[in-house]
Amino acid sequence: THCPGDRTLPLGFVVVTHFDLAVPQVPSTGCVAPMASGTADSVLLLDGGMGHLLKSQDIARFAPDLPVERQFAAAALANAAAPDLIVGLHEVYIAAGCHVITSNTFGCTSWSLSRAGAAERTAELAAAGAMLARRAADAAPRPVVVAGSLPPLGPSYLPPAADRSHAQLEEYATLAHAMAPAVDVLLCETMSSADEAAVAASAAAATGKPVWISWTLQDASDGEPRLRSGESLQAAWDRVKDIPCLQAILINCSSPGTVGAAVPCLRRLAPAGVRVGGYANGFRQTTGEWLEGRGKADINDAGDYDEVGDLLPGAYAAHAASWVRAGAGIVGGCCGVGPAHIESVSALLQREGGALEYNSCSAERRVPPP
C-alpha cells in the first residue's frame, strides 16, 4: 500500500526467537514497519496500562469532583498539569524493556473530558500526550516506537450508535491529526464493534501514519472469538482489511485466555505484512463479569493470581509466550498490567528467545519535545 505523507519509522529492532511457530516478517511498504534483521523472527513488546499507574500517583487532584470510574478525564488533564509525571511513567516502561510506548490519550475524548468540564480541550490534550511520549522515546537509551492511542469515543465496551458515525469520524480525525506529528503509529484500541474500528482506522489512515487496530472481545477461552458487539473477528476484519497503512490487528482489554484463543484466528485472517498479537488485562475478574457486577469466574486460572485477584508477572509472561508460539508478533499489557509484568515478559522472551538486537535508523523529527 502507499500512504500519503509516508515517513519511515525511525527505528528497527528484533527479538530473536525460537518458538515453534514462526512469526512472519513485515515487508517494507509505503508505511514502513519496525524492521527485523537477518532471518530472525521479530516480536515487538508494548508497554502496559497507564491508568492504574496514574491512579497510584493521585491524579484525582486534577479533577477532584470525579468518581473513581471517571478518572480517565483526570489522566488526560495530567498531560497539561503534570507533564513530567507522564514522561516519568513512560520511562518506567522503557526501563522495563518495552519497544513501544502508548500515548496517554485514552481519556482525551470529548465524552470523557466533558465529565471534567473540559470537552473543548481534546485536541490540545491529545497533542500534549503524544509529545510527552515522544519526549520519553527520544530520551531513551535505545530506539522506542510511539503509538498514539485512539480510544472509544464513549463508554468502553459499548458499541457506538450507528447514526453517530459521521460525528465519530470527525472527532477521530481531530485526535489523529493532533497526535500525528509526534507519533510513529496510530493505535485504534479497545474497539468493541466492527463499525467503531472501521471509523477510527479510516481517520487514522488519513494522516498517512501506519495503523494498528485492536479489538476487545467477549471473555471466553473457547468457542469462536467475538467482539463485545457479538460480531465475529471475520466480520470485523472484513470491515478494515482495505484500510491503507494497516500494519497490525490485535486483541486488548480482554482476559489472557481470550487473547490466546483469538491469536490463531487473527493469524489466519491477516495477510503477509500484517502483524497480529494482543495485550490482555491483569485481573482475575473479567471485564464481562465486572460489567455485570458478578464475581470471579473460572475462565482464569486461580493459580495465576494473587490473593486480591491481580495477575502474577510470571504468569502473565507465560501467557505472552504462548501467544508468540501461536503466531503473535506484538505483545504487551492492558488494564492492571504494569512495569513488573512487562519486565517479566521481556526477560522471558530474551531467556527463551535470544538476545535483543537493534537496527538504528535516523529520522528527522519535525516536532520538538514540550
Side-chain angles (χ1 to χ4, degrees):
T1 56
H2 175 74
C3 307
D6 285 345
R7 182 164 65 90
T8 301
L9 276 181
L11 60 135
F13 38 70
V14 58
V15 178
V16 183
T17 60
H18 303 286
F19 293 102
D20 295 336
L21 183 59
V23 180
Q25 297 302 304
V26 179
S28 177
T29 61
C31 298
V32 179
M35 299 173 293
S37 63
T39 60
D41 302 324
S42 62
V43 178
L44 308 186
L45 181 56
L46 291 168
D47 56 7
M50 283 286 280
H52 284 76
L53 285 184
L54 283 166
K55 287 178 183 178
S56 71
Q57 299 297 315
D58 190 29
I59 59 165
R61 66 187 186 274
F62 304 128
D65 296 329
L66 289 180
V68 173
E69 64 271 16
R70 294 183 178 176
Q71 288 302 311
F72 283 129
L77 292 169
N79 288 337
D84 290 343
L85 169 63
I86 303 302
V87 173
L89 294 181
H90 286 311
E91 290 174 342
V92 169
Y93 276 120
I94 292 171
C98 73
H99 309 129
V100 184
I101 56 174
T102 307
S103 63
N104 178 44
T105 52
F106 197 90
C108 294
T109 66
S110 60
W111 177 84
S112 181
L113 288 169
S114 68
R115 271 61 183 165
E120 75 285 353
R121 299 183 67 185
T122 54
E124 170 207 343
L125 293 170
M131 287 191 288
L132 294 173
R134 175 85 275 145
R135 187 170 126 193
D138 285 349
R142 52 184 169 75
V144 173
V145 167
V146 174
S149 170
L150 286 173
L153 298 181
S156 296
Y157 319 121
L158 297 178
D163 60 359
R164 293 194 62 245
S165 59
H166 181 70
Q168 292 162 2
L169 183 61
E170 287 185 345
E171 182 164 356
Y172 275 130
T174 296
L175 293 170
H177 281 86
M179 290 188 286
V183 304
D184 299 306
V185 303
L186 285 164
L187 170 59
C188 309
E189 60 177 344
T190 322
M191 300 285 101
S192 296
S193 73
D195 282 346
E196 184 175 44
V199 172
S202 294
T207 68
K209 292 289 180 177
V211 178
W212 295 3
I213 297 171
S214 189
W215 297 285
T216 179
L217 303 181
Q218 297 174 0
D219 291 292
S221 57
D222 54 14
E224 181 183 8
R226 291 192 172 274
L227 277 61
R228 303 280 177 189
S229 62
E231 297 164 292
S232 67
L233 279 175
Q234 179 69 64
W237 168 248
D238 287 343
R239 288 298 310 278
V240 300
K241 62 184 179 183
D242 295 322
I243 293 288
C245 305
L246 180 60
Q247 289 190 344
I249 53 174
L250 312 165
I251 304 300
N252 81 295
C253 218
S254 306
S255 68
T258 300
V259 173
V263 166
C265 299
L266 293 178
R267 186 67 275 158
R268 288 193 294 270
L269 290 171
V274 174
R275 292 174 182 253
V276 308
Y279 49 116
N281 288 342
F283 310 118
R284 188 178 173 197
Q285 183 185 41
T286 68
T287 298
E289 292 161 359
W290 174 73
L291 289 170
E292 296 171 11
R294 294 187 286 118
K296 306 174 185 69
D298 294 331
I299 183 174
N300 292 319
D301 186 346
D304 288 349
Y305 297 80
D306 64 18
E307 63 279 2
V308 298
D310 292 336
L311 186 58
L312 300 170
Y316 192 78
H319 281 292
S322 72
W323 306 338
V324 172
R325 294 187 186 98
I330 300 174
V331 297
C334 199
C335 303
V337 174
H341 298 84
I342 299 305
E343 185 174 16
S344 186
V345 175
S346 177
L348 182 61
L349 289 177
Q350 292 184 64
R351 187 167 63 249
E352 292 196 5
L356 294 174
E357 298 177 2
Y358 292 90
N359 304 316
S360 61
C361 296
S362 60
E364 180 180 356
R365 285 293 176 204
R366 295 179 290 181
V367 178

